[in-house]
Structure formats: structure tokens, C-alpha cells
Amino acid sequence: MKINSFSELENCKEPNLYRDIFPYSDVPKITFNNKGISMNLPEDIWITDTTFRDGQQSMTPFTVEQMIQIYDYLNKLDNNAGVIRQTEFFVYSNHDREALIRCMEKGYRFPEITTWIRANKDDFKLVKDMKIKETGILMSCSDYHIFKKLGMNREEALKKYSNIVEEALCNGIIPRCHLEDITRADFFGFVIPLINNFMCLSEKYKMQVKIRACDTLGLGVNYPEADLPRSIPGIISGIKKYCNVPSEALEWHGHNDFYCVVPNAVSAWMYGCSSVNTTLLGIGERTGNCPLEGMIFQYCQIKGSEKLNLSVVTEIAEYFKKEMKYDIPARTPFVGEDFNVTRAGIHADGILKDEEIYNIFDTDKILNRPVLVAVNEYSGLAGIAAWINTYFKLKDEEKINKKDPRVAEIKEWVDNQYESGRTTAILNKELEIEVKRYFKELIDVEKTRAS
């Protein structure tokens, strides 16, 4: 195997904390080198899931039955397309191991079940005993972690990580190396020598070691001209260039501390990484992980949606709300209660003419979420007419025109509500009762559809 010249470990005595970029007493800095990096989108890209591992850490622990149901949903959403390729489990508790075994017994091809462990032999024994084909292994790679958390130097960390990788390879288990905090790590002084060492072990054992680059604090940026260690294009293209890691063995894991988790994950794809790691609804540590449903729609924009069962996204959101009592912010894209609800009168007027004017796509067809209009003091005649048409799913000649005098009477009722001191939006049930007082025919429409 050819090893690039950037392969010698810099075993410094003092940690490199990049104080010019991460002053700690101030907001982190983004510095630029103005060196362009060409995009290199792999032919095959996909998504992996860590809802049961990183995601579960931020919530009340899932029950076994909840984990099985969520796994079923992931399989149903993927629709045997291999877009949601893997999901990872903890192996430390009895209920996590039970859930893992019962999910494996389902025999689904996708998502494949993998695990996550720390870099020690006791953890590895748990994976070995469960006959898992692949496991993630935590490997902190910044000097913040090596010196401050582990109390080691770089050489000691490299040896520790290499030993557990070799242990996995000796037992025929694919090691997926989770390079924690890579966006604060010395890229050429530690990351590249470490990965090159893993690639040598890959060649020795004829088994591909995988690399997961972890943006643990969400410090990565998607600018190709930004300096390392923060540039995601620089990290991904650098690992490929200096370590010869194939795209299909390279994965990105990000967090949302600076609101950049989705574009950052897309940039990993765009610059040569086949796999991005996610959680359902973006649940996870601090600000959360990259939302799986968000990356599904990024994937669809790049590769197409034909193979996926996208309406399952809505089923998953409903399950989290009802079964798991999880509060999804109302305006969260694709899954929030109000993500395709309009309140502005001028928008409602556009929807009244043609919903395509103000809806991102046919949300009714794709997500089983019809576009909706909320009525408040600013809705006007157009807003009320649009609410009636969307709420009662009226089509073509059935649609109510905003010039219908009955709409004006309903608007007068709405205006009186707010003139009397109301400050909240009109509830759907309230408006439904009022509308049926004036539009008796809508009662028959509902009865006909119900039958």
C-alpha cells in the first residue's frame, strides 16, 4: 500500500489547542486559505442512523418495544433501497442487547445492525459474543481529548486505538473508527498518521477499516476555502488524498451547535464521503445530531426519491409525539405540526389560487400532510376561504371562493373574537363549527367521504 509522506506522527509534549481559532473566551473563528477544493460526489451515497445510540442518550431510555417499532419504521421508510444503510446500538444494558437481538431476528437487509463501543477489550468482548459483523469504536483524536480527557500523549493514543482495531480484524469484525472531535484535531500531526496506520492494518488483514469523522461540537464548516481543522471539504478530501480511504469506507457525523448540521453533512457527501450519520428528528447530545428526515430530503434532491416510502416520515413523527411523548417544535421542517401551515393573508390568497405558489412540494401526496391555513386576525377573506378548502379537502368546482358572502360573515365572527381581546389563533374545531353553520353542504361532503 502506498503511504503519503504525511504519515509521521507528531508526538508533541504540549497539546495543540488551536487557540487562534478556538479562544474559548470568545466565539470560535473561521480562518481562510483561499485554496479551492474540487467537489467529488461519490456515485453511491447513503445515510446511517444512530437514534438508538447517540440519539437515545438525550431522552428517557427507549423501551425494547419502542426500539423494535422504530427499527420497523426505518426499514419501511428505506423500502429496501439501501439509502438508510445501517443503524447502531449500545450493547451495555440487558434491554439494549434484547432489542438488538430481536431486531436482528427480523432479518431485514436494511438498515444493517451495528454496535458502538469504547476502545477497550472488555467492550469488544460484548460485541464478539453477540456475533456482530461491524462495530463502531470511539477514538478521541483532538489534543483536547487525548491530553485533557484520556491523560495520554498522541503516541499512546495511537497504540491504544491500533490495538483494538487489530483485535477486531483478527476476529473478522469490521472496525468503524469514530474519530471524535476531528474538527479540533491536528490533522497532519495526528489524524493522518492514525488513519494511515489503520489502512496498513486493512491491507494486512484484507478487510476494510472504516473511518467515521466526528464533528463532536458542531464546529465544522462547509467552506472549501476554510482552514483545517474546521473545513469539512478539507477533512474529507484530505483523508482520501493522504490516506487513500475509499469513499464507501468514509462517514461523517455532525452536531448542530452552530445551526449547520445539515449543510455540513451535505458538504461531506459533495467532497467524497459516501455516508452521513443521523438520528430521527435530530435527537441527541446538546443541540442534537443531523436529522435523518432532513438528510432523506437532501438525498432525494441529489439522487431522486423513487425508491423511498416518504410518507413514513409522517408516521415516525406521529409515533414520537404520541407514543414517546416527544415534543417536536411546530415549525420543524417536514415533521413539525405547522411546517406547511400559513398564517399570512397574502400567502393564503396565493394558496387559494394554487397551493403550489406557497407550498414546497405536494406535501399531501408525498408526506400525507395537506397544506393548511391557520386563521387569526390577519387572515382576511382569502385566509378563511383557503382554510375551508384545505381543511375540508375541497377540489376544483367544490372550492369556496373568497367572494362568497358567507365567508364575509365568518370573517366578522373572527374579527369579533380579536376585538374582544383574543390573542391566540382560532382552533380548527372552533372554526369547523362556525363554518358548518353557514356551509351546510360541507356536512354532507364529510358524510359522503366517510362512507
Side-chain angles (χ1 to χ4, degrees), residues 41 45-47 77-79 81 83-84 262 266 269-270 276 291-313 334 360-361 366-367:
L41 178 68
I45 59 174
W46 60 83
I47 295 163
L77 172 58
D78 179 75
N79 201 30
V83 175
I84 306 173
V262 170
V266 174
W269 271 341
M270 289 298 179
V276 294
L292 183 146
E293 64 281 0
M295 290 312 295
I296 282 287
F297 281 97
Q298 295 297 327
Y299 177 92
C300 291
Q301 292 181 88
I302 297 169
K303 293 290 188 177
S305 63
E306 296 80 10
K307 297 177 181 179
L308 295 160
N309 187 356
L310 294 175
S311 66
V312 179
V313 168
F334 312 121
I360 55 174
F361 50 71
I366 295 173
L367 286 171

Side-chain angles (χ1 to χ4, degrees), residues 53 116 136-142 145 149 157 161 165 176-187 190-196 198-199 209-217 235 239 243 245 250-253:
R53 199 271 302 174
W116 179 97
I137 306 172
L138 177 63
M139 299 181 181
S140 305
C141 68
S142 75
H145 287 249
K149 184 178 77 174
Y161 301 153
V165 165
R176 186 180 62 245
C177 304
H178 292 203
L179 303 190
E180 184 184 21
D181 205 29
I182 198 170
T183 47
R184 291 194 298 177
D186 188 332
F187 192 71
F190 183 72
V191 173
I192 292 302
L194 177 69
I195 296 175
N196 273 329
F198 294 158
M199 293 306 105
V209 174
K210 294 184 177 181
I211 304 298
R212 178 184 287 183
C214 301
D215 185 17
T216 305
L217 294 180
I235 290 170
I239 291 173
C243 305
V245 179
L250 191 51
E251 183 178 24
W252 178 257
H253 171 96

Side-chain angles (χ1 to χ4, degrees), residues 226-273:
D227 280 322
L228 291 166
R230 296 188 70 180
S231 172
I232 296 166
I235 290 170
I236 299 303
S237 61
I239 291 173
K240 289 177 63 63
K241 178 178 180 180
Y242 298 115
C243 305
N244 302 312
V245 179
S247 293
E248 59 270 20
L250 191 51
E251 183 178 24
W252 178 257
H253 171 96
H255 283 264
N256 199 32
D257 298 75
F258 286 85
Y259 277 110
C260 296
V261 71
V262 170
N264 282 353
V266 174
S267 74
W269 271 341
M270 289 298 179
Y271 287 89
C273 180

Side-chain angles (χ1 to χ4, degrees), residues 90 110 169 176 392 438 440:
F90 276 130
F110 300 116
L169 292 169
R176 186 180 62 245
F392 290 96
Y438 294 96
K440 307 287 188 186

Side-chain angles (χ1 to χ4, degrees), residues 26-86:
D26 198 357
V27 176
K29 311 304 178 186
I30 302 171
T31 58
F32 296 90
N33 56 41
N34 296 316
K35 296 178 182 178
I37 298 173
S38 298
M39 286 197 298
N40 183 24
L41 178 68
E43 183 175 347
D44 192 13
I45 59 174
W46 60 83
I47 295 163
T48 60
D49 171 73
T50 185
T51 298
F52 304 124
R53 199 271 302 174
D54 203 347
Q56 188 177 193
Q57 292 178 129
S58 67
M59 297 179 63
T60 302
F62 301 162
T63 67
V64 170
E65 295 304 325
Q66 286 171 339
M67 294 171 79
I68 293 169
Q69 180 61 67
I70 292 169
Y71 184 63
D72 284 338
Y73 278 131
L74 289 171
N75 172 262
K76 185 178 178 183
L77 172 58
D78 179 75
N79 201 30
N80 208 36
V83 175
I84 306 173
R85 195 152 297 187
Q86 293 180 319

Side-chain angles (χ1 to χ4, degrees), residues 358-390:
Y358 281 114
N359 203 21
I360 55 174
F361 50 71
D362 189 342
T363 54
D364 191 11
K365 173 188 174 185
I366 295 173
L367 286 171
N368 197 25
R369 293 282 303 276
V371 62
L372 294 174
V373 176
V375 173
N376 57 26
E377 67 266 45
Y378 304 114
S379 297
L381 295 171
I384 293 169
W387 183 92
I388 296 170
N389 292 332
T390 56

Side-chain angles (χ1 to χ4, degrees), residues 85-364:
R85 195 152 297 187
Q86 293 180 319
T87 186
E88 65 191 61
F89 285 74
F90 276 130
V91 291
Y92 299 118
S93 71
N94 288 332
H95 91 274
D96 280 322
R97 289 194 292 271
E98 180 186 347
L100 185 155
I101 291 168
R102 289 178 62 184
C103 287
M104 287 182 70
E105 287 172 349
K106 287 180 173 288
Y108 296 152
R109 184 180 178 194
F110 300 116
E112 177 192 2
I113 291 172
T114 71
T115 57
W116 179 97
I117 59 171
R118 295 160 299 194
N120 66 60
K121 294 190 176 183
D122 289 338
D123 281 17
F124 180 73
K125 186 177 185 304
L126 292 171
V127 172
K128 182 180 175 182
D129 290 346
M130 297 190 77
K131 296 181 170 53
I132 293 293
K133 295 179 181 178
E134 176 178 323
T135 188
I137 306 172
L138 177 63
M139 299 181 181
S140 305
C141 68
S142 75
D143 285 351
Y144 286 87
H145 287 249
I146 294 170
F147 284 80
K148 291 171 172 282
K149 184 178 77 174
L150 301 179
M152 296 182 174
N153 61 38
R154 293 178 180 180
E155 184 177 3
E156 290 169 334
L158 186 146
K159 288 179 178 177
K160 174 183 174 70
Y161 301 153
S162 298
N163 286 340
I164 194 69
V165 165
E166 190 155 20
E167 180 80 8
L169 292 169
C170 285
N171 285 276
I173 296 173
I174 297 170
R176 186 180 62 245
C177 304
H178 292 203
L179 303 190
E180 184 184 21
D181 205 29
I182 198 170
T183 47
R184 291 194 298 177
D186 188 332
F187 192 71
F188 291 112
F190 183 72
V191 173
I192 292 302
L194 177 69
I195 296 175
N196 273 329
N197 198 55
F198 294 158
M199 293 306 105
C200 288
L201 291 172
S202 280
E203 185 171 274
K204 177 181 177 180
Y205 289 94
K206 308 303 179 187
M207 184 181 296
Q208 182 63 59
V209 174
K210 294 184 177 181
I211 304 298
R212 178 184 287 183
C214 301
D215 185 17
T216 305
L217 294 180
L219 292 163
V221 294
N222 62 358
Y223 316 128
E225 298 86 1
D227 280 322
L228 291 166
R230 296 188 70 180
S231 172
I232 296 166
I235 290 170
I236 299 303
S237 61
I239 291 173
K240 289 177 63 63
K241 178 178 180 180
Y242 298 115
C243 305
N244 302 312
V245 179
S247 293
E248 59 270 20
L250 191 51
E251 183 178 24
W252 178 257
H253 171 96
H255 283 264
N256 199 32
D257 298 75
F258 286 85
Y259 277 110
C260 296
V261 71
V262 170
N264 282 353
V266 174
S267 74
W269 271 341
M270 289 298 179
Y271 287 89
C273 180
S274 283
S275 178
V276 294
N277 191 234
T278 65
T279 60
L280 288 170
L281 310 181
I283 60 174
E285 186 79 351
R286 299 181 319 282
T287 57
N289 289 271
C290 188
L292 183 146
E293 64 281 0
M295 290 312 295
I296 282 287
F297 281 97
Q298 295 297 327
Y299 177 92
C300 291
Q301 292 181 88
I302 297 169
K303 293 290 188 177
S305 63
E306 296 80 10
K307 297 177 181 179
L308 295 160
N309 187 356
L310 294 175
S311 66
V312 179
V313 168
T314 301
E315 295 180 40
I316 291 169
E318 289 300 313
Y319 183 79
F320 267 78
K321 285 188 290 186
K322 293 178 180 178
E323 169 64 27
M324 307 184 75
K325 311 303 179 188
Y326 183 74
D327 183 20
I328 302 173
R331 290 180 176 83
T332 305
F334 312 121
V335 293
E337 185 176 353
D338 291 348
F339 95 90
N340 64 342
V341 174
T342 187
R343 288 175 171 81
I346 191 169
H347 287 198
D349 190 55
I351 287 174
L352 189 60
K353 293 180 173 70
D354 188 330
E355 71 172 51
E356 190 174 349
I357 296 171
Y358 281 114
N359 203 21
I360 55 174
F361 50 71
D362 189 342
T363 54
D364 191 11

